[in-house]
Amino acid sequence: MNQQVSVPESAVGASSTSGTVSRRRQWGSEKRSEPLSIVHPAPSRRKVALGRLAIVVTILGWVAYVVSTILRELAENPSASFRFQLEAVFYLVVVTFLTFSALMYLLARQGALYRFRDHRRVPRGELDRHFARYDESITVLVPSYAEEPEVVRATLWSAALQEFPNLRVTLLLDDPPFPTDPGVLARLEATRALAAEIEGRLLEPSMRFTSALSAYQERLASDTPASGELPRLIAEYEAAAVWLETMAENETVGDHVDEFFVDLVLMGLARELRLTVLALTAADAQHAAPDPDRMVELYVRLARIFTASMNTFERKLYASLSHEANKAMNLNAYISLMGGRWHKEKAANGVVLRPATEHHVDDLEIPDSTYLLTLDADSLLLRDYCLRLVHLLESPGNERVAVTQTPYSSFRGAPTRIERVAGATTDIQHILHQGMTYYGATFWVGANAVIRKRAIEDIVEVESVGGFDIKTYIQDRTVIEDTESSVDLGTHGWTLVNYPERLSYSATPPDFGSLVVQRRRWANGGLLILPKLWNQMRERKHRRERILAREILLRVNYMASIAWASFGLLFLLGYPYDSRLLSPLVFITALPYFLAMGSDLRDCGHRFSDIFRIYGFNIVLLPVNLAGVLKSVQQAFTGEKIPFVRTPKVKDRTAAPALYVVVPFLIVAYSLFTVWRDVVSENWGNAAFALLNALLAFYAIRAYIGLKNSAVDMVLGVLNWLHVAPREPRQQPSPVIDKAPEEADWEAILYHGDRRLNRDMRQGNDRRRRISVR
């Protein structure tokens, strides 16, 4: 169980008007708060060449190790013990799998370098022209469960300010709709009010700029002289920039995420509008002006920035929709209703939705749209995310692209060490996902993605539950629903593409407890999806599509590398391998991987030395990853779905399960024991490796968990283990047939029919039978 506890590291900081508290900055936290450039710098020819060299050195190093160490030892020692031979085979398997993962990193990274080198940003004018007379629509879906209203508010604003025509933003609230706790109810009501609040704030600028557009079009249609048109347009852009700047000034900045929202979402858009003001002012000074069509496009842009339809939907208010506790079914419930009008009908088990045959006052009408944008409630989009990604989908040759996104980056200026290093791994993953697109091995990363709705209609599955059709577009069989949906789309002939820019950002868990929840979920499910991948390959081969080996290898590594890397690291840490199996070639084989990662970290604004911190970070997360892998194995054997656990997003620290805190200490202790044992036996290579593991693991415990926090979590773990919840008294329901007519639930009897009545009759008969026996 995750527990929220107050600790010194989340002590009082700068408070906001909403009552939230910022975290106190730790020593070693991230000082840089400005984000990286939206467009990746083009890599030099030297960097590309070194990337190729790294791949070659890794392959040759592994081959040299196999020949010079494993094969030589087995050939020169034909009478070696069976134990040594078995150790040699297992050690080779471990080294091979770890080398394979390193090679896939280098391969994906090389693909990313090629994409960054060749990418050319679509000019602003081309976007304006493409969307000038545009009739398609997009619906932004923001699934939310127990989120802080301030977090959701920033996400909704970043979606509402997307300059896209026919923009509809829907908050999919998944909280229990009728909480009894006053604090929870207050938070829920505050979240429910966000959509109306934002739409109300946008109403004034939206009406102003829409009226300005209409007035200009009327003047244009009536051939009114164009004198003074350019100053009017400049004034409108000036007013839009001032509106955004005023809003930014009134925002309360409590942490680095708030700072990002103000500086990049609000002021970033304001700066772009002021750049347009500069261009128009220069044109006016030079007695020039854009042509009338371009003027219309500029007016249209202003009107669209501030026009959005905002609403909230709660699936748990309706008994006819799935209440499965996961993000996928929250999305599926709403998508299944799109494009229809639904009548709310009161039934014994709640309100059900039925297709409306007549128009009623309380009918629920949900418009359809060409595109969907799924956006996590703790993510932020930059201003032209929708424009650029939909433009990509509608470019020639991309007709079969189902999903496109910019894999999210981390917010800069993390106040805690663990958030900084976790953010560094997030930024590395951004690069790798870009490279996987180069080889056609893109996976959907669920924090933010633009989806062609027609594509997910191809993979929908319909199941009848209790007389109602439950549609599943995004599978919830595993807790990594985005990965499984990527495979499903590929099976039906669709592809996925990552856009090579930084246009989206998402929160990183700020403490070890919440990180445990996230990474355990990420480690669970990949093995279960592998059979689907083989089915996809078979279907594509049947369609005579070209399938390259590197795509298959990258996909398999993405889904299964956590499993073999975790078990491989466990064997290296725990088993005393014979020193004859060690060789400097193993180090040489791994060196290009670490050097490349250090270079990537530096390019992302982090430190080259973070490669050591990430290594220690992975040691600490070893029990978490193993638990996720074992959960996958459990689900494979039992067929029982693993519950979806959302990452806690709280201002205080989330306590970690005691087991995940104890095991890293055991790793340190065992590594020190290994050092002593290898020094005594003069096995210096193993001793050095064990000492490095002990030092980095202890540093990670102290930096990312904290010694005091570790003690607190262990004590809480013991108390939870000793605590036994009192058994609630078993209540026997009163049979319906024994109730007086004034008391019977006639609606339930009529709705449920003989199922409930038969049960109650059986209970009544049993009771009468017991009475007759007495």
Side-chain angles (χ1 to χ4, degrees):
M1 177 181 293
N2 297 314
Q3 299 180 5
Q4 182 180 334
V5 296
S6 298
V7 294
E9 290 182 354
S10 59
V12 174
S15 62
S16 69
T17 56
S18 57
T20 59
V21 180
S22 65
R23 292 177 182 271
R24 189 175 63 190
R25 300 192 66 83
Q26 293 180 339
W27 175 84
S29 60
E30 190 173 23
K31 297 180 180 179
R32 172 179 180 158
S33 60
E34 66 274 11
L36 300 173
S37 62
I38 293 175
V39 179
H40 293 266
S44 64
R45 296 175 62 183
R46 175 177 176 272
K47 192 178 189 69
V48 173
L50 288 176
R52 294 177 184 146
L53 179 62
I55 294 174
V56 173
V57 170
T58 300
I59 296 174
L60 294 180
W62 178 82
V63 172
Y65 170 74
V66 173
V67 173
S68 66
T69 302
I70 301 297
L71 296 182
R72 182 176 62 84
E73 286 292 338
L74 294 177
E76 293 180 357
N77 299 282
S79 59
S81 64
F82 176 74
R83 174 181 174 178
F84 176 76
Q85 294 177 352
L86 196 61
E87 281 186 13
V89 171
F90 274 102
Y91 193 74
L92 176 61
V93 169
V94 170
V95 170
T96 300
F97 273 105
L98 294 178
T99 302
F100 175 75
S101 290
L103 184 63
M104 291 301 100
Y105 178 97
L106 296 173
L107 183 65
R109 174 182 183 270
Q110 195 68 12
L113 295 180
Y114 294 149
R115 297 195 73 207
F116 299 156
R117 179 193 62 188
D118 300 334
H119 177 63
R120 298 294 180 270
R121 200 166 205 236
V122 179
R124 178 75 235 185
E126 290 300 319
L127 294 176
D128 291 340
R129 185 172 293 106
H130 181 85
F131 291 99
R133 295 169 181 85
Y134 192 81
D135 297 326
E136 306 297 337
S137 60
I138 190 169
T139 300
V140 183
L141 302 179
V142 184
S144 170
Y145 176 82
E147 303 279 2
E148 293 295 329
E150 300 82 10
V151 175
V152 181
R153 174 182 175 274
T155 300
L156 293 179
W157 267 112
S158 76
L161 292 174
Q162 293 293 308
E163 41 191 287
F164 196 89
N166 303 320
L167 176 68
R168 180 181 177 89
V169 182
T170 301
L171 175 62
L172 302 180
L173 262 180
D174 216 19
D175 300 41
F178 308 109
T180 56
D181 184 278
V184 175
L185 179 61
R187 182 186 65 193
L188 178 60
E189 292 298 336
T191 307
R192 282 171 171 163
L194 289 174
E197 172 195 330
I198 294 174
E199 192 170 42
R201 290 277 300 277
L202 289 173
L203 183 60
E204 180 182 350
S206 175
M207 292 179 61
R208 169 174 180 166
F209 301 128
T210 301
S211 298
L213 170 62
S214 300
Y216 177 73
Q217 289 175 327
E218 290 175 1
R219 291 193 299 272
L220 200 61
S222 60
D223 295 328
T224 303
S227 60
E229 287 295 348
L230 199 54
R232 288 194 189 98
L233 181 58
I234 292 173
E236 297 302 327
Y237 267 82
E238 180 76 27
V242 169
W243 191 92
L244 290 166
E245 291 162 354
T246 302
M247 178 179 175
E249 289 176 1
N250 294 329
E251 289 291 309
T252 301
V253 178
D255 57 22
H256 61 303
V257 179
D258 296 336
E259 182 179 350
F260 180 95
F261 173 69
V262 169
D263 188 46
L264 269 296
V265 176
L266 298 179
M267 292 301 298
L269 180 55
R271 286 191 294 268
E272 193 163 302
L273 295 180
R274 288 209 171 274
L275 186 63
T276 304
V277 170
L278 175 63
L280 295 176
T281 303
D284 191 38
Q286 298 168 27
H287 305 290
D291 60 66
D293 287 342
R294 186 69 178 117
M295 295 277 283
V296 170
E297 292 170 3
L298 293 172
Y299 273 112
V300 166
R301 182 187 177 194
L302 274 185
R304 287 174 175 171
I305 288 175
F306 297 94
T307 302
S309 172
M310 310 288 297
N311 60 91
T312 300
F313 180 80
E314 299 181 58
R315 61 167 173 151
K316 291 180 178 176
L317 292 174
Y318 307 105
S320 54
L321 299 179
S322 171
H323 290 188
E324 285 281 340
N326 56 64
K327 181 175 71 173
M329 292 311 296
N330 189 12
L331 292 167
N332 288 328
Y334 187 84
I335 296 173
S336 67
L337 301 176
M338 293 183 67
R341 178 184 288 273
W342 306 89
H343 177 58
K344 301 176 184 178
E345 179 181 296
K346 188 176 183 304
N349 59 341
V351 178
V352 298
L353 295 176
R354 302 190 187 278
T357 56
E358 300 177 0
H359 296 312
H360 297 82
V361 176
D362 61 343
D363 278 352
L364 177 67
E365 184 175 6
I366 300 182
D368 206 354
S369 64
T370 309
Y371 300 103
L372 302 174
L373 167 57
T374 59
L375 179 64
D376 280 3
D378 59 351
S379 299
L380 296 179
L381 303 177
L382 297 191
R383 47 204 170 270
D384 48 2
Y385 185 92
C386 290
L387 282 185
R388 295 191 178 276
L389 271 63
V390 171
H391 182 271
L392 172 70
L393 289 176
E394 297 183 348
S395 299
N398 292 335
E399 293 80 8
R400 294 299 294 177
V401 175
V403 179
T404 183
Q405 63 183 138
T406 62
Y408 60 87
S409 301
S410 63
F411 294 114
R412 311 317 298 262
T416 62
R417 291 182 291 265
I418 191 170
E419 185 174 356
R420 187 180 76 80
V421 74
T425 63
T426 296
D427 293 336
I428 289 293
Q429 286 298 315
H430 172 89
I431 295 175
L432 299 184
H433 280 290
Q434 297 289 3
M436 290 171 73
T437 292
Y438 182 81
Y439 301 108
T442 309
F443 278 97
W444 176 3
V445 186
N448 52 275
V450 175
I451 307 165
R452 200 188 299 267
K453 187 168 181 287
R454 182 165 57 90
I456 60 172
E457 288 172 350
D458 278 357
I459 63 173
V460 64
E461 295 181 4
V462 183
E463 180 185 10
S464 181
V465 179
F468 297 98
D469 288 342
I470 302 298
K471 294 184 178 181
T472 301
Y473 300 88
I474 304 168
Q475 289 295 327
D476 69 328
R477 191 171 63 98
T478 68
V479 293
I480 49 173
E481 70 287 338
D482 44 5
T483 302
E484 185 169 3
S485 297
S486 302
V487 179
D488 291 338
L489 289 166
T491 304
H492 286 77
W494 293 94
T495 60
L496 299 89
V497 172
N498 285 319
Y499 195 77
E501 295 185 5
R502 295 187 183 95
L503 295 174
S504 62
Y505 288 77
S506 191
T508 305
D511 57 73
F512 185 68
S514 55
L515 187 73
V516 164
V517 176
Q518 182 194 70
R519 297 304 172 97
R520 185 173 54 193
R521 186 176 70 244
W522 288 2
N524 179 10
L527 295 178
L528 295 172
I529 305 172
L530 274 176
K532 274 196 169 185
L533 178 62
W534 303 131
N535 294 335
Q536 183 202 115
M537 297 303 166
R538 188 163 53 248
E539 288 290 330
R540 291 171 60 187
K541 187 176 180 181
H542 180 71
R543 294 194 298 264
R544 297 186 177 181
E545 294 183 17
R546 187 184 180 192
I547 304 174
L548 299 179
R550 57 194 182 186
E551 176 195 344
I552 300 175
L553 296 178
L554 284 167
R555 289 190 182 279
V556 171
N557 179 72
Y558 181 79
M559 290 189 284
S561 61
I562 289 182
W564 66 58
S566 299
F567 282 105
L569 183 57
L570 182 65
F571 279 116
L572 291 180
L573 290 173
Y575 188 81
Y577 285 101
D578 194 294
S579 61
R580 289 174 291 177
L581 299 176
L582 296 179
S583 169
L585 288 172
V586 175
F587 173 76
I588 293 174
T589 302
L591 187 60
Y593 165 76
F594 287 105
L595 292 178
M597 180 183 287
S599 175
D600 294 339
L601 287 168
R602 191 168 50 200
D603 290 343
C604 292
H606 301 284
R607 308 165 191 168
F608 188 93
S609 59
D610 282 341
I611 57 175
F612 300 106
R613 297 181 181 90
I614 291 175
Y615 182 81
F617 176 75
N618 289 330
I619 293 178
V620 167
L621 286 179
L622 180 59
V624 179
N625 292 332
L626 287 173
V629 173
L630 293 176
K631 278 290 184 182
S632 294
V633 175
Q634 174 190 341
Q635 182 174 346
F637 278 99
T638 63
E640 295 181 2
K641 191 185 299 183
I642 302 301
F644 183 91
V645 181
R646 295 170 174 86
T647 306
K649 302 176 185 72
V650 297
K651 292 295 182 179
D652 291 329
R653 189 177 71 85
T654 301
L659 177 65
Y660 300 134
V661 177
V662 171
V663 171
F665 281 97
L666 296 179
I667 291 175
V668 173
Y670 186 80
S671 297
L672 292 175
F673 169 74
T674 303
V675 171
W676 171 80
R677 182 186 59 197
D678 290 333
V679 168
V680 171
S681 59
E682 299 184 356
N683 190 352
W684 305 113
N686 277 348
F689 179 68
L691 181 61
L692 178 66
N693 290 325
L695 293 176
L696 292 180
F698 182 76
Y699 168 82
I701 292 171
R702 184 177 179 276
Y704 307 142
I705 307 177
L707 299 180
K708 182 178 179 180
N709 293 339
S710 298
V712 171
D713 292 349
M714 291 180 191
V715 171
L716 287 175
V718 173
L719 293 177
N720 289 337
W721 179 65
L722 294 176
H723 175 70
V724 178
R727 179 178 297 179
E728 295 182 359
R730 186 176 181 180
Q731 297 180 353
Q732 293 291 342
S734 176
V736 174
I737 59 174
D738 284 357
K739 290 185 177 180
E742 293 80 9
E743 300 175 343
D745 188 350
W746 62 271
E747 289 182 317
I749 297 174
L750 291 178
Y751 184 80
H752 291 285
D754 59 352
R755 179 178 63 86
R756 177 169 297 186
L757 185 59
N758 286 341
R759 184 196 67 188
D760 292 334
M761 290 181 66
R762 285 196 300 270
Q763 293 174 345
N765 291 336
D766 291 342
R767 187 171 66 175
R768 283 191 291 270
R769 190 177 298 113
R770 287 194 298 270
I771 294 174
S772 63
V773 169
R774 294 193 188 103

